[in-house]
Amino acid sequence: MHEFCYRKGQLCCEQVPLETLARRHGTPLYVYSENTIKKHFQRLDQALAPLDHLICYAVKANSNLGILNTLARLNSGFDIVSMGELYRVSRAGGKTSQCVFAGVGKTEREIRDALQKNIYCFNVESEAELHRIHKVARAMRKRAPVALRVNPNVDAHTHAKITTGTYENKFGIAFEQVPDLYQRASWLPNVELRGIQMHIGSQITTVAPFIRAVRKMLPLVREMQERHRLQFFSIGGGIGIVYRSALESGHPGWWGGRKRVGRNHQPLTIDLFARSLIPLLKPLGMRILLEPGRYIAGNAGVLLTRVEYFKLTGTRNFAIVDAAMNDLIRPAFYDSYHAIAPLMEPPANAKESRYDVVGPICESGDYFAKDRALPPLREGDCLALMSAGAYGFTMASNYNARPRPAEVLVKGTTARLVRKRESLRDLVRGEKK
Ligand code: LLP
């Protein structure tokens, strides 16, 4: 569900035509729908109503202050992985007391900062980290709230680079080692055992891996809860979204949407997620935490880009656009699919052509789509790369000395610039000759 659709022939975000924003702010440009963010959060929140629960939005998906503030106003918690993310949450008005801190490499400085800010819990990923947290807490005369992150060794059947819950991955503590480590942790006076956590991967598009992992975890969770009086069980993030037919407009789908929707791209609905997991989790009588990132922000954002040139080689028809892999790295990095929609609605009988949509960066991996059927394009046309709200801007870089794009947050008929486009000066800030 999202709020990008054609109105009177123009692709709009909520009530605002995207072409207007592209003209006003230039391209490449990220545009987000506040209403979509809110609706996603609320839908999940309502579906989990039978459970005592806390949604901790995964800040890594999209950490713009405007987005974090929208979620803070809904009383969201936050899943953070660095001091920088914690800083962003505070700056956006989020409660640090509702933050959980994940990640395999927390530094002493980060641990100290998080303890000062009284975060809700550290999700501990190794015994070495547990001891470091204890040491820092003792020096500060505090008790650090911790949960052990369990690696349940369950394959989430998602992309290899975003699978986290098997023993091939660096994350969490091996399932079999967990009871002993809780025991040893319980002897540490400056540590408070507060919960237990798992996370098996990202962009999981069926409910089965979640069920498998939760089922496997249940006896362990019950045992640890009884022994150590844990407050919560966090089942992590990973709820997948639909990338293929992200534009629902009753349109034939030049962006290659509807025609190629396959079995693996059926949406994992929140209803199904809740219906399958609540009966397993409810009897625990514990607080349940979730750490969704992509589900909240993914389909709430697009990246606008303009066509600069065309180039016909013997075999390929390249549309060279002004956005590049530095702005949105997902296709280059994961071979991921993003629907592409022209901002001006093409006539229903427009003939398709096939394009490789590529950026200006000096790498062959700098592409957004290969051999994609699109309505005929012209120089200067503006396109929306759909479903770019999660892991879009947050993974952007300055590669090829390209300033990062501006970001706009739309609410109804109003659009706010929530991050200025970087300038050339920004590119060299802090550097010396
Ligand atoms: N919790 C933990 C411990 C995580 O590692 C992650 C994501 C999340 C929650 C949020 O997962 P989500 O609900 O967004 O699936 N850059 C990749 C995704 C990397 C995900 C890393 N961990 C992409 O663009 O697909």
mmCIF file of all heavy atoms in Angstrom, residues 1-2 4 30-34 36-41 44 57-64 67-68 71 239 241 243 292-302 338 386-394 409:
data_model
loop_
_atom_site.group_PDB
_atom_site.id
_atom_site.type_symbol
_atom_site.label_atom_id
_atom_site.label_comp_id
_atom_site.label_asym_id
_atom_site.label_seq_id
_atom_site.Cartn_x
_atom_site.Cartn_y
_atom_site.Cartn_z
ATOM 1 N N MET A 1 0.844 -1.187 0.000
ATOM 2 C CA MET A 1 0.000 0.000 0.000
ATOM 3 C C MET A 1 0.884 1.243 0.000
ATOM 4 O O MET A 1 1.902 1.284 0.674
ATOM 5 C CB MET A 1 -0.874 -0.172 1.213
ATOM 6 C CG MET A 1 -1.366 0.840 2.214
ATOM 7 S SD MET A 1 -1.784 2.477 1.894
ATOM 8 C CE MET A 1 -0.344 3.297 2.472
ATOM 9 N N HIS A 2 0.564 2.188 -0.868
ATOM 10 C CA HIS A 2 1.311 3.442 -0.841
ATOM 11 C C HIS A 2 0.501 4.524 -1.538
ATOM 12 O O HIS A 2 -0.561 4.247 -2.095
ATOM 13 C CB HIS A 2 2.681 3.288 -1.488
ATOM 14 C CG HIS A 2 2.623 2.886 -2.924
ATOM 15 N ND1 HIS A 2 2.289 3.776 -3.919
ATOM 16 C CD2 HIS A 2 2.819 1.689 -3.530
ATOM 17 C CE1 HIS A 2 2.323 3.153 -5.080
ATOM 18 N NE2 HIS A 2 2.612 1.885 -4.866
ATOM 19 N N PHE A 4 1.367 6.660 -4.172
ATOM 20 C CA PHE A 4 1.889 7.179 -5.428
ATOM 21 C C PHE A 4 0.954 6.683 -6.524
ATOM 22 O O PHE A 4 0.813 5.476 -6.713
ATOM 23 C CB PHE A 4 3.303 6.663 -5.692
ATOM 24 C CG PHE A 4 4.316 7.197 -4.712
ATOM 25 C CD1 PHE A 4 4.568 6.519 -3.521
ATOM 26 C CD2 PHE A 4 4.996 8.381 -4.958
ATOM 27 C CE1 PHE A 4 5.487 7.007 -2.606
ATOM 28 C CE2 PHE A 4 5.918 8.884 -4.048
ATOM 29 C CZ PHE A 4 6.163 8.201 -2.864
ATOM 30 N N TYR A 30 14.865 12.491 -3.863
ATOM 31 C CA TYR A 30 14.059 11.513 -3.120
ATOM 32 C C TYR A 30 12.781 12.184 -2.638
ATOM 33 O O TYR A 30 12.825 13.309 -2.116
ATOM 34 C CB TYR A 30 14.829 10.998 -1.894
ATOM 35 C CG TYR A 30 15.743 9.833 -2.204
ATOM 36 C CD1 TYR A 30 17.111 10.020 -2.347
ATOM 37 C CD2 TYR A 30 15.229 8.549 -2.363
ATOM 38 C CE1 TYR A 30 17.956 8.948 -2.640
ATOM 39 C CE2 TYR A 30 16.068 7.468 -2.653
ATOM 40 C CZ TYR A 30 17.423 7.675 -2.790
ATOM 41 O OH TYR A 30 18.235 6.608 -3.082
ATOM 42 N N VAL A 31 11.646 11.505 -2.839
ATOM 43 C CA VAL A 31 10.369 12.036 -2.351
ATOM 44 C C VAL A 31 9.686 10.957 -1.516
ATOM 45 O O VAL A 31 9.573 9.800 -1.955
ATOM 46 C CB VAL A 31 9.439 12.439 -3.526
ATOM 47 C CG1 VAL A 31 8.123 13.007 -3.001
ATOM 48 C CG2 VAL A 31 10.126 13.461 -4.436
ATOM 49 N N TYR A 32 9.237 11.342 -0.330
ATOM 50 C CA TYR A 32 8.594 10.386 0.587
ATOM 51 C C TYR A 32 7.160 10.817 0.898
ATOM 52 O O TYR A 32 6.870 12.014 0.971
ATOM 53 C CB TYR A 32 9.369 10.311 1.912
ATOM 54 C CG TYR A 32 10.850 10.093 1.761
ATOM 55 C CD1 TYR A 32 11.768 11.003 2.278
ATOM 56 C CD2 TYR A 32 11.340 8.968 1.092
ATOM 57 C CE1 TYR A 32 13.140 10.814 2.148
ATOM 58 C CE2 TYR A 32 12.715 8.769 0.953
ATOM 59 C CZ TYR A 32 13.607 9.691 1.480
ATOM 60 O OH TYR A 32 14.948 9.497 1.335
ATOM 61 N N SER A 33 6.311 9.825 1.128
ATOM 62 C CA SER A 33 4.921 10.097 1.507
ATOM 63 C C SER A 33 4.742 9.851 3.006
ATOM 64 O O SER A 33 4.867 8.717 3.482
ATOM 65 C CB SER A 33 3.987 9.171 0.712
ATOM 66 O OG SER A 33 2.780 8.948 1.410
ATOM 67 N N GLU A 34 4.448 10.918 3.716
ATOM 68 C CA GLU A 34 4.285 10.804 5.174
ATOM 69 C C GLU A 34 3.103 9.912 5.530
ATOM 70 O O GLU A 34 3.162 9.099 6.460
ATOM 71 C CB GLU A 34 4.090 12.206 5.771
ATOM 72 C CG GLU A 34 4.024 12.184 7.280
ATOM 73 C CD GLU A 34 4.048 13.563 7.911
ATOM 74 O OE1 GLU A 34 4.887 14.390 7.531
ATOM 75 O OE2 GLU A 34 3.205 13.802 8.789
ATOM 76 N N THR A 36 1.938 7.429 3.908
ATOM 77 C CA THR A 36 2.250 6.002 3.710
ATOM 78 C C THR A 36 3.024 5.463 4.915
ATOM 79 O O THR A 36 2.735 4.369 5.419
ATOM 80 C CB THR A 36 3.071 5.806 2.410
ATOM 81 O OG1 THR A 36 2.360 6.417 1.333
ATOM 82 C CG2 THR A 36 3.277 4.344 2.095
ATOM 83 N N ILE A 37 3.985 6.249 5.381
ATOM 84 C CA ILE A 37 4.765 5.836 6.560
ATOM 85 C C ILE A 37 3.811 5.595 7.738
ATOM 86 O O ILE A 37 3.874 4.559 8.405
ATOM 87 C CB ILE A 37 5.762 6.955 6.957
ATOM 88 C CG1 ILE A 37 6.721 7.272 5.815
ATOM 89 C CG2 ILE A 37 6.465 6.663 8.286
ATOM 90 C CD1 ILE A 37 8.008 6.532 5.820
ATOM 91 N N LYS A 38 2.930 6.573 7.942
ATOM 92 C CA LYS A 38 2.001 6.471 9.081
ATOM 93 C C LYS A 38 1.105 5.254 8.957
ATOM 94 O O LYS A 38 0.913 4.513 9.909
ATOM 95 C CB LYS A 38 1.092 7.708 9.114
ATOM 96 C CG LYS A 38 1.727 8.906 9.756
ATOM 97 C CD LYS A 38 0.656 9.953 9.942
ATOM 98 C CE LYS A 38 1.257 11.220 10.500
ATOM 99 N NZ LYS A 38 0.441 12.390 10.209
ATOM 100 N N LYS A 39 0.560 5.069 7.732
ATOM 101 C CA LYS A 39 -0.373 3.954 7.551
ATOM 102 C C LYS A 39 0.318 2.620 7.777
ATOM 103 O O LYS A 39 -0.265 1.708 8.350
ATOM 104 C CB LYS A 39 -0.995 3.995 6.160
ATOM 105 C CG LYS A 39 -2.106 5.006 6.062
ATOM 106 C CD LYS A 39 -2.885 4.789 4.795
ATOM 107 C CE LYS A 39 -3.994 5.828 4.664
ATOM 108 N NZ LYS A 39 -4.419 5.996 3.280
ATOM 109 N N HIS A 40 1.540 2.498 7.302
ATOM 110 C CA HIS A 40 2.259 1.231 7.511
ATOM 111 C C HIS A 40 2.471 0.979 9.002
ATOM 112 O O HIS A 40 2.259 -0.131 9.487
ATOM 113 C CB HIS A 40 3.610 1.260 6.786
ATOM 114 C CG HIS A 40 3.483 1.124 5.302
ATOM 115 N ND1 HIS A 40 4.489 1.446 4.436
ATOM 116 C CD2 HIS A 40 2.454 0.709 4.531
ATOM 117 C CE1 HIS A 40 4.093 1.226 3.191
ATOM 118 N NE2 HIS A 40 2.857 0.777 3.224
ATOM 119 N N PHE A 41 2.903 2.009 9.693
ATOM 120 C CA PHE A 41 3.128 1.850 11.132
ATOM 121 C C PHE A 41 1.827 1.457 11.827
ATOM 122 O O PHE A 41 1.781 0.502 12.617
ATOM 123 C CB PHE A 41 3.683 3.154 11.732
ATOM 124 C CG PHE A 41 3.967 3.043 13.207
ATOM 125 C CD1 PHE A 41 5.214 2.637 13.658
ATOM 126 C CD2 PHE A 41 2.976 3.318 14.152
ATOM 127 C CE1 PHE A 41 5.466 2.514 15.016
ATOM 128 C CE2 PHE A 41 3.224 3.191 15.501
ATOM 129 C CZ PHE A 41 4.467 2.784 15.942
ATOM 130 N N LEU A 44 0.528 -2.142 11.186
ATOM 131 C CA LEU A 44 1.272 -3.147 11.955
ATOM 132 C C LEU A 44 0.899 -3.063 13.437
ATOM 133 O O LEU A 44 0.671 -4.079 14.094
ATOM 134 C CB LEU A 44 2.773 -2.905 11.752
ATOM 135 C CG LEU A 44 3.732 -3.977 12.234
ATOM 136 C CD1 LEU A 44 3.398 -5.330 11.627
ATOM 137 C CD2 LEU A 44 5.176 -3.598 11.877
ATOM 138 N N TYR A 57 11.248 0.839 14.902
ATOM 139 C CA TYR A 57 11.572 1.079 13.495
ATOM 140 C C TYR A 57 13.094 0.986 13.276
ATOM 141 O O TYR A 57 13.867 1.609 14.016
ATOM 142 C CB TYR A 57 11.046 2.464 13.093
ATOM 143 C CG TYR A 57 11.597 2.964 11.785
ATOM 144 C CD1 TYR A 57 11.231 2.362 10.580
ATOM 145 C CD2 TYR A 57 12.490 4.032 11.740
ATOM 146 C CE1 TYR A 57 11.749 2.808 9.373
ATOM 147 C CE2 TYR A 57 13.012 4.485 10.536
ATOM 148 C CZ TYR A 57 12.636 3.869 9.363
ATOM 149 O OH TYR A 57 13.153 4.320 8.170
ATOM 150 N N ALA A 58 13.500 0.233 12.273
ATOM 151 C CA ALA A 58 14.937 0.068 11.992
ATOM 152 C C ALA A 58 15.451 1.302 11.246
ATOM 153 O O ALA A 58 15.210 1.477 10.051
ATOM 154 C CB ALA A 58 15.176 -1.199 11.168
ATOM 155 N N VAL A 59 16.178 2.119 11.977
ATOM 156 C CA VAL A 59 16.597 3.434 11.479
ATOM 157 C C VAL A 59 17.456 3.323 10.215
ATOM 158 O O VAL A 59 17.446 4.209 9.364
ATOM 159 C CB VAL A 59 17.341 4.193 12.606
ATOM 160 C CG1 VAL A 59 17.936 5.490 12.118
ATOM 161 C CG2 VAL A 59 16.398 4.440 13.776
ATOM 162 N N LYS A 60 18.179 2.215 10.081
ATOM 163 C CA LYS A 60 19.064 2.059 8.929
ATOM 164 C C LYS A 60 18.308 2.134 7.598
ATOM 165 O O LYS A 60 18.880 2.458 6.580
ATOM 166 C CB LYS A 60 19.844 0.747 9.018
ATOM 167 C CG LYS A 60 18.969 -0.493 8.995
ATOM 168 C CD LYS A 60 19.785 -1.768 8.954
ATOM 169 C CE LYS A 60 20.273 -2.230 10.302
ATOM 170 N NZ LYS A 60 19.197 -2.664 11.232
ATOM 171 N N ALA A 61 17.021 1.827 7.620
ATOM 172 C CA ALA A 61 16.257 1.828 6.365
ATOM 173 C C ALA A 61 16.129 3.244 5.801
ATOM 174 O O ALA A 61 16.269 3.456 4.596
ATOM 175 C CB ALA A 61 14.875 1.210 6.577
ATOM 176 N N ASN A 62 15.833 4.180 6.665
ATOM 177 C CA ASN A 62 15.719 5.584 6.242
ATOM 178 C C ASN A 62 15.821 6.436 7.491
ATOM 179 O O ASN A 62 14.939 6.387 8.351
ATOM 180 C CB ASN A 62 14.386 5.831 5.534
ATOM 181 C CG ASN A 62 14.329 7.231 4.929
ATOM 182 O OD1 ASN A 62 14.837 8.190 5.509
ATOM 183 N ND2 ASN A 62 13.701 7.356 3.784
ATOM 184 N N SER A 63 16.892 7.200 7.607
ATOM 185 C CA SER A 63 17.142 7.888 8.871
ATOM 186 C C SER A 63 16.958 9.400 8.765
ATOM 187 O O SER A 63 17.430 10.140 9.618
ATOM 188 C CB SER A 63 18.548 7.558 9.361
ATOM 189 O OG SER A 63 19.510 7.977 8.412
ATOM 190 N N ASN A 64 16.259 9.842 7.727
ATOM 191 C CA ASN A 64 16.006 11.285 7.612
ATOM 192 C C ASN A 64 15.221 11.768 8.837
ATOM 193 O O ASN A 64 14.284 11.101 9.290
ATOM 194 C CB ASN A 64 15.212 11.572 6.334
ATOM 195 C CG ASN A 64 14.982 13.058 6.159
ATOM 196 O OD1 ASN A 64 14.114 13.630 6.818
ATOM 197 N ND2 ASN A 64 15.763 13.690 5.317
ATOM 198 N N ILE A 67 11.427 11.731 8.617
ATOM 199 C CA ILE A 67 10.810 10.396 8.723
ATOM 200 C C ILE A 67 10.836 9.948 10.190
ATOM 201 O O ILE A 67 9.840 9.458 10.729
ATOM 202 C CB ILE A 67 11.588 9.366 7.876
ATOM 203 C CG1 ILE A 67 11.686 9.817 6.418
ATOM 204 C CG2 ILE A 67 11.017 7.961 8.034
ATOM 205 C CD1 ILE A 67 10.574 9.459 5.523
ATOM 206 N N LEU A 68 11.983 10.133 10.845
ATOM 207 C CA LEU A 68 12.092 9.699 12.247
ATOM 208 C C LEU A 68 11.111 10.481 13.113
ATOM 209 O O LEU A 68 10.489 9.924 14.027
ATOM 210 C CB LEU A 68 13.524 9.881 12.765
ATOM 211 C CG LEU A 68 14.607 9.047 12.067
ATOM 212 C CD1 LEU A 68 15.967 9.275 12.726
ATOM 213 C CD2 LEU A 68 14.264 7.550 12.097
ATOM 214 N N LEU A 71 7.635 9.129 12.837
ATOM 215 C CA LEU A 71 7.469 7.906 13.623
ATOM 216 C C LEU A 71 7.497 8.200 15.123
ATOM 217 O O LEU A 71 6.753 7.584 15.894
ATOM 218 C CB LEU A 71 8.540 6.887 13.229
ATOM 219 C CG LEU A 71 8.292 6.319 11.822
ATOM 220 C CD1 LEU A 71 9.537 5.736 11.213
ATOM 221 C CD2 LEU A 71 7.170 5.267 11.878
ATOM 222 N N ILE A 239 10.231 -8.078 7.380
ATOM 223 C CA ILE A 239 8.989 -8.235 6.603
ATOM 224 C C ILE A 239 9.207 -7.675 5.197
ATOM 225 O O ILE A 239 9.564 -6.511 5.030
ATOM 226 C CB ILE A 239 7.815 -7.485 7.282
ATOM 227 C CG1 ILE A 239 7.608 -8.005 8.698
ATOM 228 C CG2 ILE A 239 6.545 -7.599 6.447
ATOM 229 C CD1 ILE A 239 6.659 -7.151 9.529
ATOM 230 N N ILE A 241 8.512 -6.555 1.175
ATOM 231 C CA ILE A 241 7.511 -5.727 0.490
ATOM 232 C C ILE A 241 7.466 -6.115 -0.986
ATOM 233 O O ILE A 241 8.325 -6.839 -1.475
ATOM 234 C CB ILE A 241 7.838 -4.216 0.601
ATOM 235 C CG1 ILE A 241 9.189 -3.895 -0.061
ATOM 236 C CG2 ILE A 241 7.814 -3.775 2.057
ATOM 237 C CD1 ILE A 241 9.417 -2.412 -0.293
ATOM 238 N N TYR A 243 8.036 -5.259 -4.668
ATOM 239 C CA TYR A 243 8.769 -4.322 -5.532
ATOM 240 C C TYR A 243 8.220 -4.339 -6.956
ATOM 241 O O TYR A 243 8.301 -3.378 -7.664
ATOM 242 C CB TYR A 243 10.252 -4.695 -5.579
ATOM 243 C CG TYR A 243 11.026 -4.237 -4.362
ATOM 244 C CD1 TYR A 243 11.231 -5.084 -3.281
ATOM 245 C CD2 TYR A 243 11.544 -2.951 -4.301
ATOM 246 C CE1 TYR A 243 11.945 -4.658 -2.170
ATOM 247 C CE2 TYR A 243 12.258 -2.512 -3.193
ATOM 248 C CZ TYR A 243 12.452 -3.371 -2.129
ATOM 249 O OH TYR A 243 13.150 -2.933 -1.028
ATOM 250 N N PRO A 292 10.869 -3.517 12.217
ATOM 251 C CA PRO A 292 10.694 -3.386 10.767
ATOM 252 C C PRO A 292 11.322 -2.105 10.238
ATOM 253 O O PRO A 292 11.220 -1.048 10.849
ATOM 254 C CB PRO A 292 9.172 -3.313 10.609
ATOM 255 C CG PRO A 292 8.716 -2.667 11.884
ATOM 256 C CD PRO A 292 9.686 -3.085 12.958
ATOM 257 N N GLY A 293 11.996 -2.215 9.106
ATOM 258 C CA GLY A 293 12.539 -1.030 8.455
ATOM 259 C C GLY A 293 11.881 -0.873 7.102
ATOM 260 O O GLY A 293 11.093 0.028 6.854
ATOM 261 N N ARG A 294 12.179 -1.834 6.224
ATOM 262 C CA ARG A 294 11.690 -1.778 4.852
ATOM 263 C C ARG A 294 10.163 -1.706 4.785
ATOM 264 O O ARG A 294 9.604 -0.970 3.986
ATOM 265 C CB ARG A 294 12.164 -3.039 4.118
ATOM 266 C CG ARG A 294 11.967 -2.994 2.625
ATOM 267 C CD ARG A 294 12.272 -4.363 2.008
ATOM 268 N NE ARG A 294 13.466 -4.981 2.496
ATOM 269 C CZ ARG A 294 14.662 -4.913 1.891
ATOM 270 N NH1 ARG A 294 14.800 -4.263 0.763
ATOM 271 N NH2 ARG A 294 15.704 -5.526 2.415
ATOM 272 N N TYR A 295 9.478 -2.495 5.643
ATOM 273 C CA TYR A 295 8.013 -2.509 5.579
ATOM 274 C C TYR A 295 7.437 -1.100 5.794
ATOM 275 O O TYR A 295 6.466 -0.710 5.157
ATOM 276 C CB TYR A 295 7.438 -3.486 6.631
ATOM 277 C CG TYR A 295 5.942 -3.324 6.770
ATOM 278 C CD1 TYR A 295 5.092 -3.767 5.766
ATOM 279 C CD2 TYR A 295 5.388 -2.679 7.875
ATOM 280 C CE1 TYR A 295 3.719 -3.575 5.855
ATOM 281 C CE2 TYR A 295 4.032 -2.479 7.972
ATOM 282 C CZ TYR A 295 3.201 -2.934 6.962
ATOM 283 O OH TYR A 295 1.844 -2.717 7.045
ATOM 284 N N ILE A 296 8.070 -0.345 6.683
ATOM 285 C CA ILE A 296 7.549 0.994 6.993
ATOM 286 C C ILE A 296 7.901 1.975 5.867
ATOM 287 O O ILE A 296 7.061 2.754 5.418
ATOM 288 C CB ILE A 296 8.172 1.522 8.317
ATOM 289 C CG1 ILE A 296 7.936 0.548 9.473
ATOM 290 C CG2 ILE A 296 7.691 2.941 8.625
ATOM 291 C CD1 ILE A 296 6.693 0.704 10.258
ATOM 292 N N ALA A 297 9.167 1.937 5.415
ATOM 293 C CA ALA A 297 9.638 3.036 4.552
ATOM 294 C C ALA A 297 9.774 2.674 3.074
ATOM 295 O O ALA A 297 9.758 3.568 2.220
ATOM 296 C CB ALA A 297 10.998 3.527 5.069
ATOM 297 N N GLY A 298 9.894 1.388 2.752
ATOM 298 C CA GLY A 298 10.256 0.992 1.383
ATOM 299 C C GLY A 298 9.360 1.575 0.309
ATOM 300 O O GLY A 298 9.815 2.288 -0.589
ATOM 301 N N ASN A 299 8.070 1.284 0.412
ATOM 302 C CA ASN A 299 7.158 1.762 -0.621
ATOM 303 C C ASN A 299 6.640 3.169 -0.348
ATOM 304 O O ASN A 299 5.733 3.644 -1.027
ATOM 305 C CB ASN A 299 6.000 0.771 -0.818
ATOM 306 C CG ASN A 299 6.415 -0.380 -1.723
ATOM 307 O OD1 ASN A 299 7.240 -0.195 -2.626
ATOM 308 N ND2 ASN A 299 5.876 -1.566 -1.496
ATOM 309 N N ALA A 300 7.240 3.828 0.627
ATOM 310 C CA ALA A 300 6.840 5.212 0.939
ATOM 311 C C ALA A 300 7.747 6.220 0.254
ATOM 312 O O ALA A 300 7.608 7.418 0.482
ATOM 313 C CB ALA A 300 6.871 5.433 2.448
ATOM 314 N N GLY A 301 8.673 5.749 -0.593
ATOM 315 C CA GLY A 301 9.597 6.708 -1.215
ATOM 316 C C GLY A 301 9.932 6.355 -2.646
ATOM 317 O O GLY A 301 9.905 5.182 -3.041
ATOM 318 N N VAL A 302 10.227 7.391 -3.443
ATOM 319 C CA VAL A 302 10.691 7.185 -4.816
ATOM 320 C C VAL A 302 11.929 8.050 -5.043
ATOM 321 O O VAL A 302 12.148 9.028 -4.330
ATOM 322 C CB VAL A 302 9.610 7.564 -5.865
ATOM 323 C CG1 VAL A 302 8.382 6.682 -5.737
ATOM 324 C CG2 VAL A 302 9.217 9.037 -5.765
ATOM 325 N N HIS A 338 13.642 -2.491 -9.187
ATOM 326 C CA HIS A 338 12.806 -1.344 -8.834
ATOM 327 C C HIS A 338 11.933 -1.019 -10.043
ATOM 328 O O HIS A 338 12.455 -0.854 -11.160
ATOM 329 C CB HIS A 338 13.658 -0.120 -8.467
ATOM 330 C CG HIS A 338 14.298 -0.263 -7.122
ATOM 331 N ND1 HIS A 338 13.757 0.291 -5.982
ATOM 332 C CD2 HIS A 338 15.406 -0.928 -6.726
ATOM 333 C CE1 HIS A 338 14.522 -0.031 -4.943
ATOM 334 N NE2 HIS A 338 15.526 -0.772 -5.369
ATOM 335 N N MET A 386 10.693 3.432 -8.305
ATOM 336 C CA MET A 386 9.742 3.176 -7.224
ATOM 337 C C MET A 386 10.386 2.400 -6.065
ATOM 338 O O MET A 386 11.463 1.819 -6.214
ATOM 339 C CB MET A 386 8.537 2.374 -7.763
ATOM 340 C CG MET A 386 7.833 2.996 -8.960
ATOM 341 S SD MET A 386 7.143 4.634 -8.637
ATOM 342 C CE MET A 386 5.850 4.237 -7.461
ATOM 343 N N SER A 387 9.687 2.391 -4.938
ATOM 344 C CA SER A 387 10.084 1.582 -3.768
ATOM 345 C C SER A 387 11.507 1.895 -3.310
ATOM 346 O O SER A 387 12.275 0.996 -2.972
ATOM 347 C CB SER A 387 9.990 0.077 -4.065
ATOM 348 O OG SER A 387 8.784 -0.232 -4.700
ATOM 349 N N ALA A 388 11.852 3.171 -3.315
ATOM 350 C CA ALA A 388 13.223 3.563 -2.965
ATOM 351 C C ALA A 388 13.294 4.226 -1.587
ATOM 352 O O ALA A 388 14.293 4.842 -1.238
ATOM 353 C CB ALA A 388 13.774 4.497 -4.033
ATOM 354 N N GLY A 389 12.227 4.048 -0.798
ATOM 355 C CA GLY A 389 12.181 4.715 0.504
ATOM 356 C C GLY A 389 13.051 4.057 1.563
ATOM 357 O O GLY A 389 13.435 4.686 2.543
ATOM 358 N N ALA A 390 13.359 2.772 1.371
ATOM 359 C CA ALA A 390 14.200 2.071 2.354
ATOM 360 C C ALA A 390 15.510 1.676 1.699
ATOM 361 O O ALA A 390 15.523 1.173 0.572
ATOM 362 C CB ALA A 390 13.491 0.821 2.872
ATOM 363 N N TYR A 391 16.615 1.879 2.402
ATOM 364 C CA TYR A 391 17.947 1.539 1.919
ATOM 365 C C TYR A 391 18.254 2.260 0.597
ATOM 366 O O TYR A 391 18.922 1.717 -0.274
ATOM 367 C CB TYR A 391 18.102 0.012 1.790
ATOM 368 C CG TYR A 391 17.721 -0.708 3.071
ATOM 369 C CD1 TYR A 391 16.550 -1.463 3.164
ATOM 370 C CD2 TYR A 391 18.511 -0.573 4.204
ATOM 371 C CE1 TYR A 391 16.190 -2.088 4.356
ATOM 372 C CE2 TYR A 391 18.164 -1.203 5.395
ATOM 373 C CZ TYR A 391 16.996 -1.956 5.462
ATOM 374 O OH TYR A 391 16.655 -2.563 6.636
ATOM 375 N N GLY A 392 17.685 3.428 0.438
ATOM 376 C CA GLY A 392 17.967 4.281 -0.716
ATOM 377 C C GLY A 392 18.972 5.327 -0.281
ATOM 378 O O GLY A 392 20.189 5.113 -0.357
ATOM 379 N N PHE A 393 18.457 6.435 0.266
ATOM 380 C CA PHE A 393 19.363 7.508 0.676
ATOM 381 C C PHE A 393 20.371 7.022 1.715
ATOM 382 O O PHE A 393 21.527 7.433 1.695
ATOM 383 C CB PHE A 393 18.584 8.714 1.213
ATOM 384 C CG PHE A 393 19.474 9.908 1.399
ATOM 385 C CD1 PHE A 393 19.592 10.866 0.415
ATOM 386 C CD2 PHE A 393 20.249 10.038 2.547
ATOM 387 C CE1 PHE A 393 20.467 11.929 0.560
ATOM 388 C CE2 PHE A 393 21.123 11.098 2.705
ATOM 389 C CZ PHE A 393 21.241 12.055 1.705
ATOM 390 N N THR A 394 19.945 6.149 2.630
ATOM 391 C CA THR A 394 20.869 5.751 3.708
ATOM 392 C C THR A 394 22.100 5.014 3.168
ATOM 393 O O THR A 394 23.125 4.971 3.825
ATOM 394 C CB THR A 394 20.200 4.862 4.787
ATOM 395 O OG1 THR A 394 19.489 3.811 4.133
ATOM 396 C CG2 THR A 394 19.281 5.646 5.681
ATOM 397 N N LEU A 409 9.597 15.584 1.873
ATOM 398 C CA LEU A 409 8.553 14.808 2.556
ATOM 399 C C LEU A 409 7.203 15.450 2.257
ATOM 400 O O LEU A 409 6.982 16.634 2.534
ATOM 401 C CB LEU A 409 8.824 14.801 4.068
ATOM 402 C CG LEU A 409 7.880 13.993 4.954
ATOM 403 C CD1 LEU A 409 7.845 12.516 4.557
ATOM 404 C CD2 LEU A 409 8.301 14.108 6.427
#
